[in-house]
Amino acid sequence: MRYHYFPGCTLKGQAKNMESTTMAAAAALGIELVELEEWQCCGAVYPLYEDELITLLSPVRTLAAAKGEPLVSLCAACHHVLKRAQELMQRNEEARKKVTDYLEVDYAGEGRVLHFLEVLRDDLGFDKLAEMVKKPLEGRKVAAYYGCLLLRPSKVMQFDDPENPTIMEDLLKAIGADVVKSPYRTECCGAYLSVTEEAVAEDTVTRIIDSARNAGAEALITACPLCRYNLENCASEDGKEPIKVYYFSELLAEAMGLQFDQLMTSALERRRSSDGNK
Amino acid sequence: MATSNKTRLVDEMKMQSGQDPNECYQCAKCSAACPVTAAMDLLPHQVIRYLQLGFEEDLAKSNTPWICASCFTCAARCPRDLDLARMMEGIRLVMLRRREGNKFGPADLTPEQLEKLPQQALVSGFRKYNK
Ligand code: SF4
Ligand code: SF4
């Protein structure tokens, strides 16, 4: 299984370990993720006003670079932007014409745009994954935290049931963890309000963490670097039992029996081979 | 005054977001769903009511569009299939396009924040508050 891979800026910065753990796990699962050449930041937010065409240039350039072949990303925000930009290109002919003319590319909304979790569920299959697991996370009580961007708007994202998703719980099951379901798993963490309105993010995040803790979780998984930042930095946690936050890929890599030094090496090797390609 | 403002804001809104505030029947499910109402001076369904009535200047003063985190929960729950997140963005854009300065920029960040924040937060924050 071979896919184009769009990392996005955060995966090369604060969320490097989401990339290195995914790459190592993917290699062990026989999934090849080939980084797109000369990619650019997706823009991080999808423009909700349809005359904001400038902000579409970057995601559409990325979509066109995949040439209709499957395109995978890891960051929930990148996936959200790419998927919605694709849907706009399919639906709004005027926007498509303006954007593709400006970029001088041919693109009409073709190609599968996937989050890596969808690759695991739909292409590899969680049953197959479960068979390949080397070190099941037995006895680890983990809750999934979805947040917003993978699920909503569900008509466009078509990722999972927006009110009762199961994909991350199914992943946790496949890697042998004890799944904890917490009622606030699809609530917003406050997103970039942690930058401008800290009190608001403190409120949203504290509710999410408390609800996971009360449900019996020791840890949470997420697919979004901003969710992770907020969950780790914004909750009011005085004297409470700490909750660890992981990227889903960290636990996946662990269950595949990959050690941290192996992960570092595989990241370095990839860096070397991509430097060699240039 | 109200009438001309109404025409401008609502017309622009309809065209750019494909959303017609008049389709809202004020059930307030959006406000029940919104995770950040505690910090808002107008509830989400009240913003729509103001749009219906053309109270543009009151909307310009409200903090609600700036508190909105674009989480899309309101849109997911609306029985009229309205996308309130798009309307909130519409109000923000009207304000940003009409006024001189940006609401938030790199100079407003502490060195500590710059060190720790994920790149995604910086890019999305600047996109939301700047033009
Ligand atoms: S949920 Fe929809 S119909 Fe109900 S008040 Fe909100 S926008 Fe209006
Ligand atoms: S998109 Fe904005 S208004 Fe709607 S529920 Fe989320 S924060 Fe509230």
Side-chain angles (χ1 to χ4, degrees), chain A residues 77-90:
Chain A
C78 294
H79 176 62
H80 181 93
V81 171
L82 291 172
K83 187 96 182 172
R84 293 190 79 174
Q86 176 185 43
E87 189 265 345
L88 185 74
M89 293 296 101
Q90 292 165 348

Side-chain angles (χ1 to χ4, degrees), chain A residues 42-103:
Chain A
C42 69
V45 280
Y46 175 75
L48 296 173
Y49 240 31
E50 300 208 346
D51 71 346
E52 285 278 301
L53 294 179
I54 288 175
T55 48
L56 285 168
L57 296 177
S58 169
V60 172
R61 187 183 281 129
T62 302
L63 291 164
K67 303 189 198 77
E69 294 154 10
L71 173 67
V72 171
S73 45
L74 302 174
C75 167
C78 294
H79 176 62
H80 181 93
V81 171
L82 291 172
K83 187 96 182 172
R84 293 190 79 174
Q86 176 185 43
E87 189 265 345
L88 185 74
M89 293 296 101
Q90 292 165 348
R91 169 169 58 80
N92 184 330
E93 196 176 330
E94 190 193 337
R96 177 177 77 224
K97 205 169 164 343
K98 279 190 185 153
V99 170
T100 54
D101 280 357
Y102 183 86
L103 291 170

Side-chain angles (χ1 to χ4, degrees), chain B residues 15-100:
Chain B
M15 187 170 68
Q16 298 297 350
S17 69
Q19 307 300 308
D20 184 351
N22 287 323
E23 286 176 14
C24 162
Y25 53 28
Q26 289 288 297
C27 69
K29 257 193 132 178
C30 47
S31 298
C34 178
V36 294
T37 46
M40 291 173 164
D41 55 14
L42 286 177
L43 292 170
H45 77 285
Q46 291 174 318
V47 166
I48 306 222
R49 188 70 186 134
Y50 279 34
L51 283 169
Q52 291 173 342
L53 297 170
F55 290 174
E56 188 176 339
E57 292 317 311
D58 298 282
L59 287 170
K61 280 186 235 128
S62 167
N63 76 352
T64 296
W66 305 99
I67 296 289
C68 167
S70 302
C71 74
F72 314 117
T73 314
C74 47
R77 306 268 163 88
C78 175
R80 300 286 289 147
D81 218 5
L82 282 165
D83 192 337
L84 177 49
R86 280 187 194 264
M87 297 193 227
M88 293 284 191
E89 174 122 319
I91 299 168
R92 289 194 293 268
L93 278 177
V94 169
M95 297 308 146
L96 287 171
R97 285 174 184 182
R98 198 179 286 172
R99 289 194 181 148
E100 34 336 303

Side-chain angles (χ1 to χ4, degrees), chain A residues 10 14 43 48-52 77 84 148 152 155 163 192-193 195-196 200 207 224-226 233, chain B residues 13 16 35-36 67 71-72 77 81 86 89-90 97 104 115-117 119-120 124 127-129 131:
Chain A
T10 316
Q14 300 288 10
L48 296 173
Y49 240 31
E50 300 208 346
D51 71 346
E52 285 278 301
R84 293 190 79 174
C148 311
R152 295 183 288 266
K155 267 189 214 139
E163 301 290 358
Y192 37 70
L193 291 175
V195 186
T196 49
V200 179
R207 259 181 290 167
C224 176
L226 182 50
N233 293 285
Chain B
M13 186 79 66
Q16 298 297 350
V36 294
I67 296 289
C71 74
F72 314 117
R77 306 268 163 88
D81 218 5
R86 280 187 194 264
E89 174 122 319
R97 285 174 184 182
F104 175 79
E115 178 92 356
K116 266 175 85 178
L117 280 169
Q119 285 71 13
Q120 170 199 356
S124 50
R127 279 261 162 107
K128 175 175 172 180
Y129 298 104
K131 236 331 84 199

Side-chain angles (χ1 to χ4, degrees), chain A residues 134-177:
Chain A
K134 300 222 165 59
K135 268 184 57 193
L137 307 182
E138 272 159 31
R140 301 262 291 275
K141 298 189 176 62
V142 189
Y145 173 66
Y146 289 84
C148 311
L149 296 176
L150 292 174
L151 296 173
R152 295 183 288 266
S154 61
K155 267 189 214 139
V156 180
M157 298 310 294
Q158 298 185 355
F159 180 76
D160 206 338
D161 182 328
E163 301 290 358
N164 190 19
T166 56
I167 184 169
M168 285 200 202
E169 281 84 2
D170 292 343
L171 169 74
L172 288 170
K173 251 180 245 161
I175 60 175

Side-chain angles (χ1 to χ4, degrees), chain A residues 196-213:
Chain A
T196 49
E197 303 279 346
E198 264 176 79
V200 179
E202 182 182 327
D203 193 40
T204 49
V205 168
T206 305
R207 259 181 290 167
I208 292 163
I209 302 246
D210 282 348
S211 117
R213 187 188 288 112

